[in-house]
Amino acid sequence: MNLGAVILAGGSGRRMDCNIKKQYLKINGESIFIISLKKLLNIKSIDQYVLVIPEEDKKFVSRILKENNIKNVKIAYGGNRRQDSVVNGLKMLKSVESVLIHDSVRPFFKEQLINKGIKQLRNYSAVIPAIPLKDTIKKVENGVVSKTLDRSKLVAVQTPQFFDYKELLNLYEKFNNINFTDDSYLFELKNKEVSIIMGLEENIKITTPVDYEIAKMLVKKGKVNV
Ligand SMILES: Nc1ccn([C@@H]2O[C@H](COP(=O)(O)OP(=O)(O)OP(=O)(O)O)[C@@H](O)[C@H]2O)c(=O)n1
Ligand SMILES: C[C@](O)(CO)[C@H](O)COP(=O)(O)O
């Protein structure tokens, strides 16, 4: 299987509320997106890499890549929405059968998760990691609870997500005008099965200042590998 990886670092990190985009914040002396990228570059089953970055940061990022001696990574530019960044990244891949899409701000994934995803792609066109919820989830309308959802049927979804490349690109072309937050949603729209593999509790998405503090703590305490 020829596998491509699209690593997303094209966002602006509004919820981090910081003067530097969150993917460039450092953990243990290294930018978050570089931690994710280096880990992916060490995975032998990946054949091609595309890193999606904000266009205005191209000089800054190419300097960081050079300092880290990172080669063989194509660069794509981000769009307004995450999904626009994904499609820009997908279009840079050449002759791949499958693709994994990863949020660079989830630096604590493990190689085993990727191996599981690749294996499951033999049977499905879309495979995503997810974990059980810890909180009770309620639906709210006009400031009051309208429903308590059955937690046993809900999961929290992570990346990396794994797809048949052609199917994903076709779906992207077809549903260009709707908004969604993860790529597997496109398969749901077409009633195609999305297979779930067990995610990792520590595979957090560094989204808010608290997440960043937790991420640094996990590394300091040796709870995760970077
Ligand atoms: N237009 C966008 C938006 C997001 N991302 C990337 O998608 C991942 C997950 O998105 P999220 O955590 O929402 O990042 P931001 O959009 O940057 O954050 P916020 O929503 O708080 O602005 C991140 O690695 C981010 O860089 C991207 O490449 N292009
Ligand atoms: C893809 C994702 O990380 C799965 O949890 C998430 O949906 C990204 O969402 P965001 O709105 O870009 O934070």
Side-chain angles (χ1 to χ4, degrees):
M1 180 201 297
N2 202 329
L3 176 67
V6 173
I7 303 105
L8 295 171
S12 51
R14 273 181 291 270
R15 286 170 285 177
M16 186 58 76
D17 199 20
C18 175
N19 54 7
I20 147 167
K21 294 183 185 98
K22 64 179 177 178
Q23 57 271 37
Y24 308 136
L25 291 172
K26 291 193 172 175
I27 295 178
N28 214 14
E30 194 137 72
S31 301
I32 293 170
F33 82 103
I34 290 289
I35 298 173
S36 292
L37 183 58
K38 279 187 177 170
K39 281 170 85 168
L40 288 165
L41 283 165
N42 276 327
I43 295 177
K44 302 276 176 293
S45 43
I46 303 176
D47 303 288
Q48 278 177 56
Y49 297 85
V50 176
L51 174 68
V52 186
I53 61 163
E55 188 166 6
E56 74 264 21
D57 297 341
K58 59 185 171 196
K59 280 194 184 144
F60 171 68
V61 171
S62 72
R63 199 183 69 226
I64 301 181
L65 294 179
K66 214 169 179 184
E67 280 166 10
N68 283 279
N69 201 23
I70 294 175
K71 296 168 193 149
N72 301 326
V73 174
K74 290 181 191 164
I75 299 293
Y77 297 130
N80 285 335
R81 302 168 299 175
R82 180 185 180 280
Q83 65 195 79
D84 303 318
S85 296
V86 171
V87 82
N88 293 350
L90 288 175
K91 284 179 176 163
M92 297 283 284
L93 291 169
K94 293 280 167 285
S95 315
V96 291
E97 278 167 67
S98 314
V99 61
L100 75 81
I101 298 176
H102 187 56
D103 295 333
S104 68
V105 295
R106 289 187 189 269
F108 304 140
F109 67 91
K110 287 189 179 146
E111 183 166 358
Q112 293 97 296
L113 186 60
I114 296 200
N115 295 338
K116 265 200 233 171
I118 294 172
K119 199 168 166 202
Q120 193 75 332
L121 256 193
R122 290 185 202 144
N123 304 315
Y124 294 89
S125 304
V127 178
I128 62 174
I131 55 170
L133 295 176
K134 290 185 274 190
D135 296 313
T136 295
I137 307 292
K138 292 182 190 272
K139 189 172 174 195
V140 177
E141 279 165 296
N142 302 321
V144 290
V145 172
S146 61
K147 202 174 178 192
T148 297
L149 302 174
D150 178 359
R151 185 170 70 182
S152 68
K153 290 194 176 133
L154 300 171
V155 289
V157 166
Q158 305 180 338
T159 69
Q161 300 190 347
F162 306 82
F163 302 100
D164 177 280
Y165 175 76
K166 268 196 194 136
E167 277 194 54
L168 181 63
L169 199 56
N170 284 342
L171 287 167
Y172 255 106
E173 271 153 16
K174 203 169 192 154
F175 295 109
N176 175 32
N177 51 349
I178 56 162
N179 295 321
F180 48 91
T181 54
D182 92 311
D183 310 296
S184 67
Y185 179 63
L186 293 171
F187 287 75
E188 289 168 53
L189 286 180
K190 288 296 281 179
N191 288 322
K192 293 201 168 191
E193 281 183 324
V194 175
S195 170
I196 296 284
I197 54 171
M198 185 53 85
L200 302 166
E201 193 176 7
E202 69 272 25
N203 184 22
I204 58 169
K205 183 158 75 64
I206 303 174
T207 305
T208 62
V210 169
D211 294 328
Y212 184 40
E213 292 309 312
I214 292 171
K216 286 189 286 188
M217 184 80 77
L218 288 172
V219 172
K220 197 169 164 194
K221 296 215 176 263
K223 302 287 182 200
V224 288
N225 294 323
V226 288

Short mmCIF file of all heavy atoms in Angstrom, two decimals, residues 7-17 21-23 32-33 52-54 77-86 102-106 159 181 205-208, ligand 1:
data_model
loop_
_atom_site.label_atom_id
_atom_site.label_comp_id
_atom_site.label_asym_id
_atom_site.label_seq_id
_atom_site.Cartn_x
_atom_site.Cartn_y
_atom_site.Cartn_z
N ILE A 7 -0.05 16.42 7.23
CA ILE A 7 0.11 16.90 8.62
C ILE A 7 -0.35 18.35 8.64
O ILE A 7 0.22 19.21 7.96
CB ILE A 7 1.58 16.77 9.08
CG1 ILE A 7 2.06 15.32 8.95
CG2 ILE A 7 1.76 17.25 10.52
CD1 ILE A 7 2.95 15.06 7.82
N LEU A 8 -1.37 18.59 9.45
CA LEU A 8 -2.00 19.92 9.45
C LEU A 8 -1.36 20.84 10.48
O LEU A 8 -1.40 20.57 11.69
CB LEU A 8 -3.48 19.77 9.78
CG LEU A 8 -4.31 19.00 8.76
CD1 LEU A 8 -5.71 18.74 9.31
CD2 LEU A 8 -4.38 19.77 7.45
N ALA A 9 -0.81 21.93 9.97
CA ALA A 9 -0.27 22.97 10.86
C ALA A 9 -0.64 24.33 10.28
O ALA A 9 0.13 25.29 10.37
CB ALA A 9 1.24 22.81 11.00
N GLY A 10 -1.82 24.38 9.66
CA GLY A 10 -2.21 25.59 8.93
C GLY A 10 -3.20 26.47 9.68
O GLY A 10 -3.71 27.44 9.11
N GLY A 11 -3.46 26.14 10.94
CA GLY A 11 -4.46 26.90 11.68
C GLY A 11 -3.89 28.14 12.36
O GLY A 11 -2.68 28.37 12.35
N SER A 12 -4.78 28.90 12.97
CA SER A 12 -4.32 30.13 13.63
C SER A 12 -4.38 30.04 15.15
O SER A 12 -3.94 30.94 15.84
CB SER A 12 -5.12 31.32 13.13
OG SER A 12 -6.50 31.01 13.26
N GLY A 13 -4.95 28.97 15.68
CA GLY A 13 -4.90 28.73 17.13
C GLY A 13 -5.62 29.77 17.97
O GLY A 13 -5.14 30.13 19.04
N ARG A 14 -6.79 30.19 17.51
CA ARG A 14 -7.52 31.25 18.23
C ARG A 14 -7.82 30.87 19.68
O ARG A 14 -7.68 31.69 20.58
CB ARG A 14 -8.84 31.57 17.51
CG ARG A 14 -8.68 32.62 16.42
CD ARG A 14 -10.02 32.93 15.77
NE ARG A 14 -10.48 31.79 15.00
CZ ARG A 14 -10.18 31.61 13.70
NH1 ARG A 14 -9.46 32.50 13.06
NH2 ARG A 14 -10.61 30.54 13.06
N ARG A 15 -8.21 29.61 19.90
CA ARG A 15 -8.59 29.23 21.27
C ARG A 15 -7.40 29.18 22.22
O ARG A 15 -7.58 29.12 23.43
CB ARG A 15 -9.34 27.88 21.25
CG ARG A 15 -10.75 28.00 20.71
CD ARG A 15 -11.39 26.64 20.48
NE ARG A 15 -10.86 25.98 19.29
CZ ARG A 15 -11.21 24.77 18.89
NH1 ARG A 15 -12.09 24.08 19.58
NH2 ARG A 15 -10.68 24.24 17.78
N MET A 16 -6.20 29.17 21.68
CA MET A 16 -5.01 29.20 22.55
C MET A 16 -4.77 30.61 23.08
O MET A 16 -4.13 30.80 24.11
CB MET A 16 -3.79 28.70 21.77
CG MET A 16 -2.54 28.55 22.61
SD MET A 16 -2.73 27.42 24.00
CE MET A 16 -2.68 25.85 23.18
N ASP A 17 -5.30 31.59 22.33
CA ASP A 17 -5.24 32.98 22.77
C ASP A 17 -3.81 33.39 23.17
O ASP A 17 -3.55 33.82 24.28
CB ASP A 17 -6.20 33.16 23.96
CG ASP A 17 -6.54 34.61 24.18
OD1 ASP A 17 -6.37 35.40 23.23
OD2 ASP A 17 -6.96 34.97 25.30
N LYS A 21 1.25 31.28 17.00
CA LYS A 21 0.31 30.20 16.65
C LYS A 21 0.69 28.94 17.44
O LYS A 21 1.88 28.61 17.54
CB LYS A 21 0.36 29.92 15.14
CG LYS A 21 -0.15 31.09 14.31
CD LYS A 21 -0.16 30.75 12.82
CE LYS A 21 -0.54 31.93 11.97
NZ LYS A 21 0.61 32.64 11.40
N LYS A 22 -0.33 28.23 17.94
CA LYS A 22 -0.05 27.17 18.92
C LYS A 22 0.85 26.05 18.39
O LYS A 22 1.60 25.44 19.15
CB LYS A 22 -1.35 26.59 19.45
CG LYS A 22 -2.20 25.89 18.41
CD LYS A 22 -3.47 25.32 19.00
CE LYS A 22 -4.32 24.70 17.91
NZ LYS A 22 -5.53 24.09 18.45
N GLN A 23 0.81 25.82 17.07
CA GLN A 23 1.65 24.73 16.52
C GLN A 23 3.15 25.05 16.65
O GLN A 23 3.99 24.17 16.57
CB GLN A 23 1.28 24.42 15.07
CG GLN A 23 1.34 25.56 14.07
CD GLN A 23 0.04 26.33 13.98
OE1 GLN A 23 -0.63 26.53 14.99
NE2 GLN A 23 -0.35 26.78 12.80
N ILE A 32 5.69 22.20 18.64
CA ILE A 32 4.72 21.09 18.66
C ILE A 32 4.62 20.43 17.28
O ILE A 32 4.61 19.20 17.16
CB ILE A 32 3.34 21.60 19.14
CG1 ILE A 32 3.44 22.04 20.61
CG2 ILE A 32 2.26 20.57 18.94
CD1 ILE A 32 2.22 22.79 21.15
N PHE A 33 4.57 21.24 16.21
CA PHE A 33 4.37 20.62 14.89
C PHE A 33 5.60 19.81 14.47
O PHE A 33 5.49 18.82 13.75
CB PHE A 33 3.99 21.67 13.83
CG PHE A 33 5.13 22.44 13.21
CD1 PHE A 33 5.59 22.13 11.93
CD2 PHE A 33 5.73 23.48 13.89
CE1 PHE A 33 6.64 22.83 11.35
CE2 PHE A 33 6.78 24.20 13.32
CZ PHE A 33 7.24 23.88 12.05
N VAL A 52 1.01 21.03 5.96
CA VAL A 52 0.19 22.20 5.59
C VAL A 52 0.46 23.32 6.61
O VAL A 52 0.33 23.10 7.82
CB VAL A 52 -1.32 21.85 5.59
CG1 VAL A 52 -2.12 23.03 5.07
CG2 VAL A 52 -1.58 20.61 4.74
N ILE A 53 0.83 24.47 6.08
CA ILE A 53 1.21 25.59 6.96
C ILE A 53 0.50 26.88 6.51
O ILE A 53 0.06 26.97 5.36
CB ILE A 53 2.75 25.82 6.93
CG1 ILE A 53 3.21 26.19 5.49
CG2 ILE A 53 3.50 24.61 7.43
CD1 ILE A 53 4.56 26.81 5.41
N PRO A 54 0.43 27.87 7.37
CA PRO A 54 -0.12 29.16 6.92
C PRO A 54 0.85 29.78 5.90
O PRO A 54 2.07 29.82 6.15
CB PRO A 54 -0.17 30.00 8.20
CG PRO A 54 -0.07 29.02 9.33
CD PRO A 54 0.77 27.89 8.81
N TYR A 77 -0.28 25.08 1.46
CA TYR A 77 -0.72 26.22 2.26
C TYR A 77 -2.14 26.00 2.77
O TYR A 77 -3.00 25.44 2.08
CB TYR A 77 -0.63 27.50 1.45
CG TYR A 77 0.80 27.81 1.06
CD1 TYR A 77 1.14 28.11 -0.27
CD2 TYR A 77 1.81 27.76 2.02
CE1 TYR A 77 2.46 28.35 -0.62
CE2 TYR A 77 3.14 28.00 1.67
CZ TYR A 77 3.45 28.30 0.36
OH TYR A 77 4.75 28.53 0.02
N GLY A 78 -2.35 26.46 4.00
CA GLY A 78 -3.64 26.27 4.66
C GLY A 78 -4.73 27.15 4.07
O GLY A 78 -4.47 28.15 3.40
N GLY A 79 -5.96 26.76 4.35
CA GLY A 79 -7.11 27.56 3.94
C GLY A 79 -7.79 28.14 5.18
O GLY A 79 -7.26 28.00 6.29
N ASN A 80 -8.95 28.72 4.97
CA ASN A 80 -9.67 29.34 6.10
C ASN A 80 -10.11 28.31 7.12
O ASN A 80 -10.04 28.53 8.31
CB ASN A 80 -10.91 30.08 5.61
CG ASN A 80 -10.50 31.37 4.94
OD1 ASN A 80 -9.44 31.92 5.23
ND2 ASN A 80 -11.34 31.85 4.05
N ARG A 81 -10.64 27.19 6.62
CA ARG A 81 -11.14 26.14 7.51
C ARG A 81 -10.17 24.96 7.48
O ARG A 81 -9.47 24.75 6.48
CB ARG A 81 -12.52 25.67 7.04
CG ARG A 81 -13.57 26.76 6.96
CD ARG A 81 -14.80 26.28 6.22
NE ARG A 81 -14.50 25.90 4.84
CZ ARG A 81 -15.36 25.37 3.99
NH1 ARG A 81 -16.59 25.14 4.36
NH2 ARG A 81 -14.99 25.05 2.74
N ARG A 82 -10.23 24.15 8.56
CA ARG A 82 -9.38 22.95 8.59
C ARG A 82 -9.59 22.12 7.32
O ARG A 82 -8.64 21.64 6.72
CB ARG A 82 -9.72 22.13 9.84
CG ARG A 82 -8.89 20.85 10.00
CD ARG A 82 -9.40 20.06 11.22
NE ARG A 82 -8.64 18.84 11.42
CZ ARG A 82 -8.84 17.70 10.75
NH1 ARG A 82 -9.77 17.64 9.81
NH2 ARG A 82 -8.11 16.63 11.02
N GLN A 83 -10.85 21.97 6.93
CA GLN A 83 -11.16 21.14 5.76
C GLN A 83 -10.53 21.71 4.48
O GLN A 83 -10.16 20.95 3.58
CB GLN A 83 -12.67 20.99 5.61
CG GLN A 83 -13.40 22.28 5.32
CD GLN A 83 -14.91 22.15 5.53
OE1 GLN A 83 -15.41 22.19 6.66
NE2 GLN A 83 -15.66 21.98 4.46
N ASP A 84 -10.37 23.03 4.39
CA ASP A 84 -9.71 23.62 3.20
C ASP A 84 -8.22 23.28 3.21
O ASP A 84 -7.61 23.03 2.17
CB ASP A 84 -9.89 25.15 3.20
CG ASP A 84 -11.36 25.56 3.23
OD1 ASP A 84 -12.15 24.92 2.53
OD2 ASP A 84 -11.69 26.49 3.98
N SER A 85 -7.66 23.27 4.41
CA SER A 85 -6.24 22.90 4.53
C SER A 85 -6.04 21.44 4.13
O SER A 85 -5.07 21.09 3.45
CB SER A 85 -5.75 23.12 5.96
OG SER A 85 -5.82 24.48 6.29
N VAL A 86 -6.98 20.59 4.56
CA VAL A 86 -6.87 19.16 4.23
C VAL A 86 -6.86 18.98 2.71
O VAL A 86 -6.00 18.29 2.15
CB VAL A 86 -8.02 18.34 4.86
CG1 VAL A 86 -8.00 16.90 4.33
CG2 VAL A 86 -7.90 18.34 6.38
N HIS A 102 -3.36 14.03 9.95
CA HIS A 102 -3.06 14.21 11.37
C HIS A 102 -2.99 15.68 11.75
O HIS A 102 -2.36 16.48 11.06
CB HIS A 102 -1.74 13.51 11.72
CG HIS A 102 -1.46 13.52 13.19
ND1 HIS A 102 -2.35 13.02 14.12
CD2 HIS A 102 -0.42 14.00 13.90
CE1 HIS A 102 -1.86 13.19 15.33
NE2 HIS A 102 -0.70 13.80 15.23
N ASP A 103 -3.61 16.01 12.87
CA ASP A 103 -3.49 17.35 13.45
C ASP A 103 -2.10 17.44 14.09
O ASP A 103 -1.81 16.68 15.02
CB ASP A 103 -4.50 17.55 14.60
CG ASP A 103 -5.94 17.52 14.15
OD1 ASP A 103 -6.22 17.85 12.99
OD2 ASP A 103 -6.80 17.17 15.00
N SER A 104 -1.28 18.37 13.61
CA SER A 104 0.08 18.45 14.18
C SER A 104 0.04 18.79 15.67
O SER A 104 1.00 18.56 16.39
CB SER A 104 0.90 19.51 13.45
OG SER A 104 0.40 20.80 13.71
N VAL A 105 -1.09 19.34 16.13
CA VAL A 105 -1.19 19.70 17.55
C VAL A 105 -1.65 18.52 18.42
O VAL A 105 -2.08 18.72 19.56
CB VAL A 105 -2.09 20.93 17.75
CG1 VAL A 105 -1.48 22.16 17.10
CG2 VAL A 105 -3.50 20.68 17.23
N ARG A 106 -1.53 17.32 17.88
CA ARG A 106 -1.70 16.10 18.68
C ARG A 106 -0.37 15.35 18.64
O ARG A 106 -0.22 14.37 17.88
CB ARG A 106 -2.80 15.19 18.07
CG ARG A 106 -4.21 15.70 18.22
CD ARG A 106 -5.18 14.63 17.73
NE ARG A 106 -6.54 15.09 17.64
CZ ARG A 106 -7.43 15.00 18.63
NH1 ARG A 106 -7.10 14.45 19.77
NH2 ARG A 106 -8.66 15.45 18.46
N THR A 159 -7.21 12.18 15.80
CA THR A 159 -6.42 11.88 14.60
C THR A 159 -5.17 11.16 15.10
O THR A 159 -4.86 11.28 16.29
CB THR A 159 -6.00 13.15 13.82
OG1 THR A 159 -5.06 13.89 14.57
CG2 THR A 159 -7.19 14.00 13.46
N THR A 181 -16.02 19.14 10.98
CA THR A 181 -14.80 19.27 11.80
C THR A 181 -13.87 18.05 11.70
O THR A 181 -12.73 18.12 12.15
CB THR A 181 -15.14 19.52 13.29
OG1 THR A 181 -16.02 18.48 13.73
CG2 THR A 181 -15.76 20.88 13.50
N LYS A 205 -5.60 16.91 21.84
CA LYS A 205 -5.41 18.01 20.88
C LYS A 205 -5.11 19.25 21.69
O LYS A 205 -5.92 19.67 22.52
CB LYS A 205 -6.64 18.20 20.01
CG LYS A 205 -6.43 19.30 18.96
CD LYS A 205 -7.39 19.15 17.79
CE LYS A 205 -8.77 19.59 18.11
NZ LYS A 205 -8.91 21.02 18.43
N ILE A 206 -3.95 19.82 21.49
CA ILE A 206 -3.56 21.01 22.26
C ILE A 206 -4.33 22.19 21.67
O ILE A 206 -4.01 22.67 20.59
CB ILE A 206 -2.03 21.20 22.24
CG1 ILE A 206 -1.35 19.93 22.79
CG2 ILE A 206 -1.64 22.42 23.07
CD1 ILE A 206 0.16 19.93 22.69
N THR A 207 -5.37 22.58 22.39
CA THR A 207 -6.33 23.56 21.86
C THR A 207 -6.35 24.84 22.70
O THR A 207 -6.41 25.93 22.16
CB THR A 207 -7.74 22.93 21.82
OG1 THR A 207 -7.69 21.71 21.08
CG2 THR A 207 -8.76 23.86 21.16
N THR A 208 -6.33 24.68 24.02
CA THR A 208 -6.45 25.84 24.92
C THR A 208 -5.20 25.94 25.79
O THR A 208 -4.41 24.98 25.85
CB THR A 208 -7.69 25.66 25.83
OG1 THR A 208 -7.46 24.48 26.61
CG2 THR A 208 -8.97 25.52 25.04
N1 LIG B 1 -7.55 26.39 8.63
C1 LIG B 1 -6.97 25.45 9.38
C2 LIG B 1 -7.43 25.16 10.68
C3 LIG B 1 -6.77 24.18 11.41
N2 LIG B 1 -5.70 23.55 10.89
C4 LIG B 1 -4.97 22.57 11.69
O1 LIG B 1 -5.85 21.56 12.13
C5 LIG B 1 -5.47 21.08 13.41
C6 LIG B 1 -6.64 21.04 14.36
O2 LIG B 1 -7.31 22.28 14.38
P1 LIG B 1 -7.54 23.19 15.65
O3 LIG B 1 -7.06 22.57 16.89
O4 LIG B 1 -8.93 23.69 15.61
O5 LIG B 1 -6.52 24.39 15.31
P2 LIG B 1 -6.83 25.91 14.98
O6 LIG B 1 -7.87 26.02 13.94
O7 LIG B 1 -5.51 26.48 14.73
O8 LIG B 1 -7.37 26.41 16.39
P3 LIG B 1 -8.63 27.35 16.72
O9 LIG B 1 -9.83 26.59 16.20
O10 LIG B 1 -8.60 27.48 18.19
O11 LIG B 1 -8.41 28.65 15.98
C7 LIG B 1 -4.33 21.99 13.89
O12 LIG B 1 -3.12 21.27 13.79
C8 LIG B 1 -4.38 23.17 12.97
O13 LIG B 1 -3.11 23.76 12.72
C9 LIG B 1 -5.27 23.83 9.59
O14 LIG B 1 -4.31 23.23 9.13
N3 LIG B 1 -5.92 24.78 8.87
#
